[in-house]
Amino acid sequence: TKVKPPAAKLKGFKPASDGRYVKAWDYFYSIADWEPQLYIAFKLMAEYGLRNSEAARAKRHWLVEHCLSVEISKTKAVRQLPYQSDNDRELFLNHNASGLWAGDYILRGHKTERRTDLWRRLNAKLKELGFTNRKKAYELRKYFGSQVAKQTKSVWLAAEMLGNTPEVAKASY
């Protein structure tokens, strides 16, 4: 017999319904060609649920054939996130393949660019688009988790994909 999973109870986060997410997706997809660093940072948080610290440290060797294999998180467990679109692996691999700061990381630039400056620019743009929380970019990660929980009916799967412990999931979702 088929077992139906219990419905997800999202108690800690309710996505805004004022159109800010639609505006964000429209804006960031529109800048993909002329501001790829900002676009990729957005994708890593909004479509893969990475923390900004994880995205800043994300390495190109994490881009395995069928998933993004996040090798650092608060739980210390590797988490494998399926690619959200067919060309994401190539997009991430090619983003930092050449140039002054080419190297091991998915995002370009020196440590301060990847860990601080980029997130300030992303937060500033999200503020322009109507995001009001103190941690604007982090709201994208929460949105990702809420969508996983909603679509799979599993808070635990959402927690696993976000790299959270079951305790955090129980308190937050």
Coordinates of all heavy atoms in Angstrom, one line a residue, residues 60-144:
R60 N 34.3 24.5 -6.9 CA 34.0 24.0 -8.2 C 33.9 22.4 -8.1 O 33.1 21.8 -8.8 CB 34.9 24.5 -9.2 CG 34.7 26.0 -9.4 CD 35.7 26.6 -10.3 NE 35.4 26.3 -11.7 CZ 36.2 25.9 -12.6 NH1 37.5 25.8 -12.3 NH2 35.8 25.6 -13.8
H61 N 34.7 21.8 -7.3 CA 34.7 20.3 -7.3 C 33.4 19.8 -6.6 O 33.2 18.6 -6.7 CB 36.0 19.7 -6.6 CG 36.0 19.9 -5.1 ND1 36.7 20.9 -4.5 CD2 35.5 19.1 -4.1 CE1 36.6 20.8 -3.2 NE2 35.9 19.7 -2.9
W62 N 32.6 20.7 -6.0 CA 31.3 20.3 -5.5 C 30.3 20.0 -6.6 O 29.3 19.4 -6.3 CB 30.7 21.3 -4.6 CG 31.5 21.6 -3.3 CD1 32.7 21.2 -2.9 CD2 31.0 22.6 -2.3 NE1 33.0 21.7 -1.7 CE2 32.0 22.6 -1.3 CE3 29.9 23.4 -2.2 CZ2 31.9 23.3 -0.1 CZ3 29.8 24.1 -1.0 CH2 30.8 24.1 0.0
L63 N 30.6 20.5 -7.8 CA 29.7 20.3 -8.9 C 29.9 19.0 -9.6 O 30.5 18.8 -10.6 CB 30.0 21.5 -9.9 CG 29.8 22.9 -9.3 CD1 30.4 23.9 -10.2 CD2 28.4 23.2 -9.0
V64 N 29.3 18.0 -8.9 CA 29.4 16.6 -9.5 C 28.3 16.5 -10.6 O 27.5 17.3 -10.8 CB 29.3 15.5 -8.3 CG1 30.4 15.6 -7.4 CG2 28.0 15.7 -7.6
E65 N 28.4 15.4 -11.2 CA 27.6 15.2 -12.5 C 26.1 15.5 -12.3 O 25.5 16.1 -13.1 CB 27.8 13.8 -13.1 CG 27.2 13.7 -14.4 CD 27.6 12.4 -15.1 OE1 28.6 11.8 -14.8 OE2 26.8 12.0 -16.0
H66 N 25.5 14.9 -11.2 CA 24.0 15.0 -11.1 C 23.6 15.9 -9.9 O 22.4 16.0 -9.7 CB 23.5 13.6 -10.9 CG 23.6 12.8 -12.1 ND1 24.7 11.9 -12.3 CD2 22.9 12.7 -13.2 CE1 24.6 11.3 -13.4 NE2 23.5 11.8 -14.0
C67 N 24.5 16.5 -9.2 CA 24.0 17.4 -8.1 C 25.1 18.3 -7.6 O 26.3 18.1 -7.9 CB 23.5 16.5 -6.9 SG 24.8 15.6 -6.1
L68 N 24.7 19.3 -6.8 CA 25.7 20.1 -6.1 C 25.9 19.5 -4.8 O 24.9 19.3 -4.0 CB 25.0 21.5 -6.0 CG 25.8 22.5 -5.1 CD1 27.2 22.8 -5.6 CD2 25.0 23.8 -5.0
S69 N 27.1 19.1 -4.5 CA 27.4 18.3 -3.3 C 28.0 19.3 -2.3 O 29.2 19.6 -2.3 CB 28.4 17.2 -3.6 OG 28.7 16.4 -2.5
V70 N 27.2 19.8 -1.4 CA 27.7 20.8 -0.4 C 28.5 20.1 0.7 O 27.9 19.3 1.4 CB 26.5 21.6 0.2 CG1 26.9 22.7 1.1 CG2 25.6 22.2 -1.0
E71 N 29.7 20.5 0.8 CA 30.6 19.7 1.7 C 30.9 20.4 3.0 O 31.6 19.9 3.8 CB 32.0 19.5 1.0 CG 31.8 18.6 -0.2 CD 33.1 18.3 -1.0 OE1 34.1 18.6 -0.5 OE2 33.0 17.6 -2.0
I72 N 30.3 21.6 3.2 CA 30.4 22.3 4.5 C 29.0 22.7 4.9 O 28.2 23.2 4.1 CB 31.3 23.5 4.5 CG1 30.9 24.5 3.5 CG2 32.8 23.1 4.3 CD1 31.6 25.9 3.6
S73 N 28.7 22.5 6.1 CA 27.4 23.0 6.7 C 27.5 22.9 8.2 O 28.4 22.4 8.7 CB 26.2 22.2 6.2 OG 26.1 21.0 6.7
K74 N 26.5 23.5 8.9 CA 26.5 23.4 10.3 C 26.4 22.0 10.9 O 26.8 21.7 11.9 CB 25.4 24.3 10.8 CG 25.6 25.8 10.6 CD 24.5 26.6 11.3 CE 24.9 28.1 11.1 NZ 23.9 28.9 11.7
T75 N 25.8 21.1 10.1 CA 25.6 19.7 10.6 C 26.8 18.9 10.2 O 26.8 17.7 10.7 CB 24.3 19.1 10.0 OG1 24.5 19.1 8.5 CG2 23.1 19.9 10.3
K76 N 27.7 19.3 9.5 CA 28.9 18.6 9.1 C 28.6 17.5 8.1 O 29.5 16.8 7.7 CB 29.7 18.0 10.3 CG 30.0 19.1 11.4 CD 31.1 20.0 11.0 CE 31.6 20.8 12.1 NZ 31.1 22.1 12.2
A77 N 27.4 17.3 7.7 CA 27.0 16.2 6.8 C 27.0 16.8 5.4 O 26.6 17.9 5.1 CB 25.6 15.7 7.1
V78 N 27.5 16.1 4.4 CA 27.5 16.5 3.0 C 26.0 16.4 2.6 O 25.4 15.4 2.9 CB 28.4 15.5 2.2 CG1 28.2 15.8 0.7 CG2 29.9 15.7 2.6
R79 N 25.6 17.4 1.9 CA 24.2 17.3 1.3 C 24.3 17.5 -0.2 O 25.0 18.3 -0.7 CB 23.3 18.3 2.0 CG 23.6 19.7 1.9 CD 22.7 20.5 2.8 NE 22.5 21.9 2.4 CZ 23.2 22.9 2.9 NH1 24.2 22.7 3.7 NH2 23.0 24.1 2.5
Q80 N 23.5 16.6 -0.8 CA 23.5 16.6 -2.3 C 22.2 17.2 -2.8 O 21.1 16.7 -2.5 CB 23.6 15.2 -2.8 CG 25.0 14.6 -2.4 CD 25.3 13.3 -3.0 OE1 24.4 12.5 -3.2 NE2 26.5 13.0 -3.2
L81 N 22.3 18.3 -3.5 CA 21.2 19.1 -4.0 C 21.1 18.9 -5.5 O 22.0 19.3 -6.2 CB 21.4 20.6 -3.6 CG 21.6 20.9 -2.1 CD1 22.0 22.3 -1.9 CD2 20.4 20.5 -1.3
P82 N 19.9 18.4 -5.9 CA 19.8 18.3 -7.4 C 19.8 19.6 -8.1 O 19.4 20.6 -7.6 CB 18.4 17.6 -7.5 CG 17.7 17.9 -6.3 CD 18.7 18.1 -5.2
Y83 N 20.4 19.6 -9.3 CA 20.5 20.8 -10.1 C 19.0 21.3 -10.5 O 18.2 20.4 -10.8 CB 21.3 20.6 -11.4 CG 22.8 20.4 -11.1 CD1 23.4 19.2 -11.4 CD2 23.5 21.4 -10.5 CE1 24.7 19.0 -11.1 CE2 24.8 21.2 -10.1 CZ 25.4 20.0 -10.5 OH 26.8 19.9 -10.2
Q84 N 18.8 22.5 -10.3 CA 17.4 23.1 -10.6 C 17.1 23.3 -12.0 O 16.0 23.3 -12.4 CB 17.3 24.4 -9.8 CG 17.4 24.2 -8.3 CD 16.4 23.3 -7.7 OE1 15.2 23.4 -8.0 NE2 16.8 22.3 -7.0
S85 N 18.1 23.4 -12.9 CA 17.9 23.5 -14.3 C 19.1 22.7 -15.0 O 20.2 22.6 -14.4 CB 17.7 24.9 -14.8 OG 18.8 25.7 -14.5
D86 N 18.9 22.3 -16.2 CA 19.8 21.5 -16.9 C 21.2 22.1 -17.1 O 22.2 21.4 -17.1 CB 19.3 21.1 -18.3 CG 18.1 20.1 -18.2 OD1 17.9 19.5 -17.1 OD2 17.3 20.1 -19.1
N87 N 21.2 23.4 -17.2 CA 22.5 24.1 -17.5 C 23.2 24.7 -16.2 O 24.2 25.3 -16.3 CB 22.4 25.2 -18.5 CG 21.5 26.3 -18.1 OD1 20.8 26.2 -17.1 ND2 21.6 27.4 -18.7
D88 N 22.6 24.5 -15.0 CA 23.2 25.1 -13.8 C 24.7 24.6 -13.6 O 25.5 25.4 -13.2 CB 22.4 24.8 -12.6 CG 21.2 25.8 -12.5 OD1 21.1 26.7 -13.3 OD2 20.4 25.6 -11.5
R89 N 24.9 23.3 -13.7 CA 26.3 22.8 -13.5 C 27.3 23.5 -14.4 O 28.3 24.0 -13.9 CB 26.4 21.3 -13.7 CG 27.7 20.7 -13.4 CD 27.8 19.2 -13.5 NE 29.0 18.7 -13.0 CZ 30.0 18.3 -13.9 NH1 29.9 18.4 -15.2 NH2 31.2 17.9 -13.3
E90 N 27.0 23.6 -15.7 CA 27.9 24.3 -16.6 C 28.0 25.8 -16.3 O 29.1 26.3 -16.3 CB 27.5 24.1 -18.0 CG 27.6 22.7 -18.5 CD 28.9 22.1 -18.3 OE1 29.9 22.7 -18.7 OE2 29.0 20.9 -17.8
L91 N 26.9 26.4 -15.9 CA 26.9 27.8 -15.5 C 27.9 28.0 -14.3 O 28.7 28.9 -14.4 CB 25.5 28.3 -15.1 CG 25.4 29.7 -14.6 CD1 25.6 30.7 -15.6 CD2 24.0 29.8 -13.9
F92 N 27.7 27.2 -13.3 CA 28.6 27.3 -12.1 C 30.0 27.0 -12.4 O 30.9 27.7 -11.9 CB 28.1 26.5 -11.0 CG 26.7 26.8 -10.5 CD1 25.9 25.8 -9.9 CD2 26.2 28.1 -10.5 CE1 24.6 26.1 -9.4 CE2 24.9 28.4 -10.1 CZ 24.1 27.4 -9.5
L93 N 30.3 26.0 -13.2 CA 31.6 25.6 -13.5 C 32.4 26.7 -14.4 O 33.5 26.9 -14.1 CB 31.6 24.3 -14.4 CG 31.6 23.0 -13.6 CD1 31.4 21.8 -14.6 CD2 32.9 22.8 -12.8
N94 N 31.7 27.3 -15.3 CA 32.3 28.2 -16.2 C 32.4 29.6 -15.6 O 33.1 30.5 -16.1 CB 31.5 28.3 -17.5 CG 31.6 27.0 -18.3 OD1 32.6 26.3 -18.2 ND2 30.6 26.7 -19.0
H95 N 31.7 29.9 -14.5 CA 31.6 31.3 -14.0 C 33.0 31.8 -13.5 O 33.4 32.9 -13.8 CB 30.6 31.4 -12.8 CG 30.6 32.7 -12.2 ND1 30.2 33.9 -12.9 CD2 30.9 33.1 -10.9 CE1 30.3 34.9 -12.1 NE2 30.7 34.5 -10.9
N96 N 33.8 30.9 -12.9 CA 35.1 31.4 -12.3 C 36.2 30.6 -13.0 O 37.2 30.2 -12.3 CB 35.1 31.2 -10.8 CG 36.2 31.9 -10.2 OD1 36.8 32.8 -10.7 ND2 36.6 31.4 -9.0
A97 N 36.0 30.2 -14.3 CA 37.0 29.4 -14.9 C 38.2 30.1 -15.4 O 39.3 29.5 -15.7 CB 36.4 28.6 -16.1
S98 N 38.1 31.5 -15.6 CA 39.3 32.2 -16.1 C 39.2 33.6 -15.5 O 38.2 34.0 -14.9 CB 39.2 32.3 -17.6 OG 38.1 33.0 -18.0
G99 N 40.3 34.4 -15.7 CA 40.4 35.7 -15.2 C 41.3 35.8 -14.0 O 41.9 34.9 -13.5
L100 N 41.3 37.1 -13.5 CA 42.2 37.4 -12.4 C 42.0 36.5 -11.1 O 43.0 36.0 -10.5 CB 42.1 38.8 -12.0 CG 42.9 39.3 -10.8 CD1 44.4 39.3 -11.1 CD2 42.5 40.8 -10.4
W101 N 40.8 36.2 -10.8 CA 40.5 35.5 -9.5 C 40.1 34.0 -9.8 O 39.5 33.4 -9.0 CB 39.4 36.2 -8.7 CG 39.9 37.5 -8.3 CD1 39.5 38.7 -8.8 CD2 40.8 37.8 -7.2 NE1 40.1 39.7 -8.1 CE2 40.9 39.2 -7.1 CE3 41.5 37.0 -6.3 CZ2 41.8 39.8 -6.2 CZ3 42.4 37.6 -5.4 CH2 42.5 39.0 -5.4
A102 N 40.4 33.5 -11.0 CA 40.0 32.1 -11.4 C 40.6 31.2 -10.4 O 41.7 31.4 -9.9 CB 40.5 31.8 -12.8
G103 N 39.8 30.1 -10.1 CA 40.3 29.2 -9.2 C 39.3 28.2 -8.7 O 38.4 27.8 -9.5
D104 N 39.4 27.8 -7.5 CA 38.7 26.7 -6.9 C 37.2 27.0 -6.6 O 36.4 26.1 -6.5 CB 39.3 26.2 -5.6 CG 40.7 25.6 -5.9 OD1 41.0 25.1 -7.0 OD2 41.5 25.6 -4.9
Y105 N 36.9 28.3 -6.4 CA 35.6 28.6 -6.0 C 34.6 28.8 -7.1 O 35.0 29.2 -8.2 CB 35.7 29.9 -5.1 CG 36.5 29.7 -3.9 CD1 37.8 30.1 -3.8 CD2 35.9 29.1 -2.7 CE1 38.6 29.9 -2.7 CE2 36.7 28.9 -1.6 CZ 38.0 29.3 -1.6 OH 38.8 29.0 -0.5
I106 N 33.3 28.6 -6.8 CA 32.3 28.9 -7.8 C 32.1 30.4 -8.0 O 32.1 30.8 -9.2 CB 30.9 28.3 -7.4 CG1 31.0 26.7 -7.4 CG2 29.8 28.7 -8.3 CD1 29.8 26.0 -6.7
L107 N 32.1 31.1 -6.9 CA 32.0 32.6 -7.1 C 33.4 33.2 -7.3 O 34.4 32.7 -6.8 CB 31.4 33.2 -5.8 CG 29.9 32.8 -5.5 CD1 29.5 33.3 -4.1 CD2 29.0 33.5 -6.6
R108 N 33.4 34.3 -8.0 CA 34.6 35.0 -8.4 C 35.1 35.9 -7.2 O 34.3 36.3 -6.4 CB 34.4 35.9 -9.6 CG 34.2 35.1 -10.9 CD 34.1 36.1 -12.0 NE 33.7 35.4 -13.2 CZ 32.9 35.9 -14.2 NH1 32.5 37.1 -14.1 NH2 32.7 35.2 -15.2
G109 N 36.3 36.2 -7.3 CA 36.8 37.3 -6.4 C 37.6 36.8 -5.2 O 37.7 35.6 -4.9
H110 N 38.2 37.8 -4.6 CA 39.0 37.5 -3.4 C 38.0 37.2 -2.2 O 36.8 37.4 -2.4 CB 39.9 38.7 -3.0 CG 39.2 40.0 -3.0 ND1 38.4 40.4 -2.0 CD2 39.1 41.0 -4.0 CE1 37.9 41.6 -2.2 NE2 38.3 42.0 -3.5
K111 N 38.6 36.8 -1.1 CA 37.8 36.4 0.0 C 36.8 37.5 0.5 O 35.6 37.2 0.7 CB 38.7 36.0 1.2 CG 38.0 35.5 2.4 CD 38.9 34.8 3.4 CE 39.7 35.7 4.2 NZ 40.5 35.0 5.3
T112 N 37.2 38.8 0.5 CA 36.3 39.8 0.9 C 35.1 40.0 -0.1 O 34.0 40.2 0.4 CB 37.0 41.1 1.1 OG1 38.1 40.9 2.0 CG2 36.1 42.2 1.6
E113 N 35.4 39.9 -1.3 CA 34.3 39.9 -2.3 C 33.3 38.8 -2.1 O 32.1 39.0 -2.1 CB 34.9 39.9 -3.8 CG 33.9 39.5 -4.9 CD 32.7 40.5 -5.1 OE1 32.7 41.6 -4.5 OE2 31.8 40.1 -5.8
R114 N 33.8 37.6 -2.0 CA 32.9 36.4 -1.9 C 32.2 36.4 -0.6 O 31.0 35.9 -0.5 CB 33.7 35.1 -2.1 CG 34.2 34.8 -3.5 CD 34.8 33.4 -3.6 NE 35.4 32.9 -2.4 CZ 36.7 33.0 -2.1 NH1 37.5 33.7 -2.9 NH2 37.2 32.5 -1.0
R115 N 32.8 36.8 0.5 CA 32.2 36.6 1.8 C 31.5 37.9 2.4 O 30.7 37.7 3.3 CB 33.3 36.2 2.8 CG 33.9 34.9 2.6 CD 34.8 34.4 3.6 NE 35.4 33.1 3.3 CZ 36.3 32.5 4.1 NH1 36.6 33.1 5.2 NH2 36.8 31.4 3.8
T116 N 31.7 39.0 1.8 CA 31.1 40.3 2.4 C 30.5 41.2 1.3 O 29.3 41.4 1.3 CB 32.2 41.1 3.1 OG1 32.8 40.2 4.1 CG2 31.6 42.3 3.8
D117 N 31.4 41.6 0.4 CA 30.9 42.7 -0.6 C 29.7 42.2 -1.5 O 28.8 42.9 -1.7 CB 32.1 43.1 -1.5 CG 33.2 43.7 -0.7 OD1 33.0 44.1 0.4 OD2 34.3 43.9 -1.3
L118 N 29.8 41.0 -2.0 CA 28.8 40.4 -2.8 C 27.4 40.4 -2.1 O 26.4 40.8 -2.6 CB 29.2 39.0 -3.3 CG 28.1 38.2 -4.1 CD1 27.8 39.0 -5.3 CD2 28.7 36.9 -4.4
W119 N 27.4 40.0 -0.8 CA 26.2 39.9 -0.1 C 25.6 41.3 0.3 O 24.4 41.4 0.4 CB 26.4 39.0 1.2 CG 27.0 37.7 0.7 CD1 28.3 37.3 0.8 CD2 26.3 36.7 -0.1 NE1 28.4 36.1 0.2 CE2 27.3 35.7 -0.4 CE3 25.0 36.6 -0.5 CZ2 26.9 34.6 -1.1 CZ3 24.7 35.5 -1.3 CH2 25.7 34.5 -1.6
R120 N 26.5 42.2 0.4 CA 26.0 43.6 0.6 C 25.3 44.1 -0.6 O 24.2 44.7 -0.5 CB 27.1 44.6 1.0 CG 27.6 44.3 2.4 CD 28.7 45.3 2.8 NE 29.1 45.0 4.2 CZ 30.3 45.3 4.7 NH1 31.2 45.9 3.9 NH2 30.6 45.0 5.9
R121 N 25.8 43.8 -1.8 CA 25.2 44.2 -3.0 C 23.8 43.5 -3.2 O 22.8 44.1 -3.6 CB 26.1 44.0 -4.2 CG 27.3 44.8 -4.3 CD 28.0 44.8 -5.6 NE 28.3 43.5 -6.2 CZ 29.4 42.8 -5.9 NH1 30.3 43.2 -5.1 NH2 29.6 41.6 -6.5
L122 N 23.8 42.2 -2.9 CA 22.6 41.4 -3.0 C 21.5 41.9 -2.1 O 20.4 42.1 -2.5 CB 22.9 39.9 -2.8 CG 21.7 39.0 -2.9 CD1 21.2 38.9 -4.4 CD2 22.1 37.6 -2.5
N123 N 21.9 42.2 -0.8 CA 20.9 42.7 0.1 C 20.4 44.1 -0.3 O 19.2 44.4 -0.1 CB 21.5 42.8 1.5 CG 21.5 41.4 2.2 OD1 20.6 40.6 2.1 ND2 22.6 41.1 2.9
A124 N 21.3 44.9 -0.8 CA 20.8 46.2 -1.3 C 19.8 46.1 -2.4 O 18.8 46.8 -2.4 CB 22.0 47.1 -1.7
K125 N 20.1 45.2 -3.3 CA 19.1 45.0 -4.4 C 17.8 44.4 -3.9 O 16.7 44.8 -4.4 CB 19.7 44.2 -5.5 CG 18.9 44.0 -6.7 CD 18.2 45.2 -7.3 CE 19.0 46.1 -8.0 NZ 18.3 47.2 -8.6
L126 N 17.9 43.5 -3.0 CA 16.7 42.9 -2.5 C 15.8 43.9 -1.7 O 14.6 43.9 -1.8 CB 17.0 41.7 -1.6 CG 17.5 40.5 -2.3 CD1 18.1 39.5 -1.3 CD2 16.5 39.8 -3.2
K127 N 16.5 44.9 -1.0 CA 15.8 45.9 -0.4 C 15.0 46.8 -1.4 O 13.9 47.1 -1.2 CB 16.8 46.8 0.4 CG 16.1 47.9 1.2 CD 17.1 48.7 2.1 CE 16.4 49.7 2.9 NZ 17.3 50.4 3.8
E128 N 15.7 47.1 -2.5 CA 15.0 47.9 -3.6 C 13.8 47.1 -4.1 O 12.8 47.7 -4.5 CB 16.0 48.1 -4.8 CG 17.0 49.1 -4.6 CD 17.9 49.2 -5.8 OE1 17.5 49.0 -6.9 OE2 19.1 49.5 -5.6
L129 N 13.9 45.8 -4.1 CA 12.8 45.0 -4.6 C 11.7 44.7 -3.6 O 10.7 44.0 -3.9 CB 13.3 43.6 -5.1 CG 14.3 43.8 -6.4 CD1 15.0 42.4 -6.6 CD2 13.5 44.2 -7.6
G130 N 11.8 45.3 -2.4 CA 10.7 45.1 -1.4 C 11.0 44.2 -0.3 O 10.1 44.0 0.6
F131 N 12.2 43.6 -0.2 CA 12.5 42.7 1.0 C 12.7 43.6 2.2 O 13.5 44.6 2.1 CB 13.7 41.8 0.7 CG 13.3 40.7 -0.3 CD1 13.1 41.0 -1.6 CD2 13.2 39.4 0.2 CE1 12.8 40.0 -2.5 CE2 12.9 38.4 -0.7 CZ 12.7 38.7 -2.1
T132 N 12.1 43.3 3.3 CA 12.2 44.2 4.5 C 12.9 43.5 5.7 O 13.2 44.3 6.6 CB 10.8 44.6 4.9 OG1 10.0 43.4 5.1 CG2 10.1 45.4 3.9
N133 N 13.1 42.3 5.7 CA 13.8 41.6 6.9 C 15.2 42.1 7.0 O 15.8 42.6 6.0 CB 13.8 40.1 6.7 CG 12.4 39.5 6.9 OD1 11.5 40.2 7.2 ND2 12.3 38.2 6.6
R134 N 15.7 42.0 8.2 CA 17.1 42.4 8.4 C 18.1 41.6 7.5 O 19.0 42.1 7.0 CB 17.5 42.2 9.9 CG 18.8 42.9 10.3 CD 19.0 42.8 11.8 NE 19.2 41.5 12.3 CZ 20.4 40.8 12.3 NH1 21.4 41.4 11.7 NH2 20.5 39.6 12.8
K135 N 17.9 40.3 7.5 CA 18.7 39.4 6.6 C 18.0 39.1 5.4 O 17.3 38.1 5.2 CB 19.1 38.1 7.4 CG 19.9 38.4 8.6 CD 20.2 37.0 9.3 CE 21.2 37.2 10.4 NZ 21.6 35.9 11.0
K136 N 18.0 40.0 4.4 CA 17.3 39.9 3.2 C 17.6 38.7 2.4 O 16.8 38.0 1.9 CB 17.4 41.2 2.4 CG 16.7 42.4 3.1 CD 17.2 43.7 2.7 CE 16.7 44.8 3.5 NZ 17.2 44.7 4.9
A137 N 18.9 38.5 2.1 CA 19.4 37.3 1.4 C 19.0 36.0 2.0 O 18.6 35.0 1.4 CB 20.9 37.4 1.1
Y138 N 19.0 36.0 3.3 CA 18.6 34.8 4.1 C 17.2 34.4 3.9 O 16.8 33.3 4.0 CB 19.0 35.0 5.6 CG 19.3 33.7 6.3 CD1 20.5 33.1 6.2 CD2 18.3 33.1 7.1 CE1 20.8 31.9 6.8 CE2 18.6 31.9 7.7 CZ 19.8 31.3 7.6 OH 20.1 30.1 8.3
E139 N 16.3 35.4 3.6 CA 14.9 35.2 3.3 C 14.8 34.3 2.1 O 13.8 33.5 2.0 CB 14.2 36.5 3.2 CG 12.7 36.3 3.1 CD 11.9 37.6 3.1 OE1 12.4 38.6 3.7 OE2 10.8 37.6 2.6
L140 N 15.7 34.4 1.1 CA 15.7 33.6 -0.1 C 15.9 32.1 0.3 O 15.3 31.2 -0.2 CB 16.8 34.0 -1.1 CG 16.7 35.4 -1.6 CD1 17.9 35.7 -2.4 CD2 15.4 35.6 -2.4
R141 N 16.8 31.9 1.3 CA 17.1 30.5 1.7 C 15.8 30.0 2.5 O 15.5 28.8 2.3 CB 18.3 30.6 2.7 CG 18.6 29.3 3.4 CD 19.9 29.5 4.2 NE 19.9 28.7 5.4 CZ 20.2 27.4 5.3 NH1 20.5 26.8 4.2 NH2 20.2 26.7 6.4
K142 N 15.2 30.8 3.3 CA 14.0 30.4 4.0 C 12.9 30.0 2.9 O 12.1 29.1 3.1 CB 13.5 31.4 4.9 CG 14.3 31.6 6.2 CD 13.7 32.6 7.1 CE 14.4 32.7 8.4 NZ 13.8 33.6 9.3
Y143 N 12.8 30.8 1.9 CA 11.8 30.6 0.9 C 12.1 29.2 0.2 O 11.1 28.5 0.0 CB 11.8 31.7 -0.2 CG 10.8 31.5 -1.3 CD1 9.5 31.8 -1.1 CD2 11.2 31.1 -2.5 CE1 8.5 31.7 -2.1 CE2 10.3 30.9 -3.5 CZ 8.9 31.2 -3.3 OH 8.0 31.0 -4.3
F144 N 13.3 29.0 -0.1 CA 13.7 27.7 -0.7 C 13.2 26.5 0.2 O 12.6 25.6 -0.2 CB 15.2 27.6 -0.9 CG 15.7 26.2 -1.2 CD1 15.6 25.7 -2.5 CD2 16.3 25.4 -0.3 CE1 16.1 24.5 -2.9 CE2 16.7 24.1 -0.6 CZ 16.6 23.7 -1.9

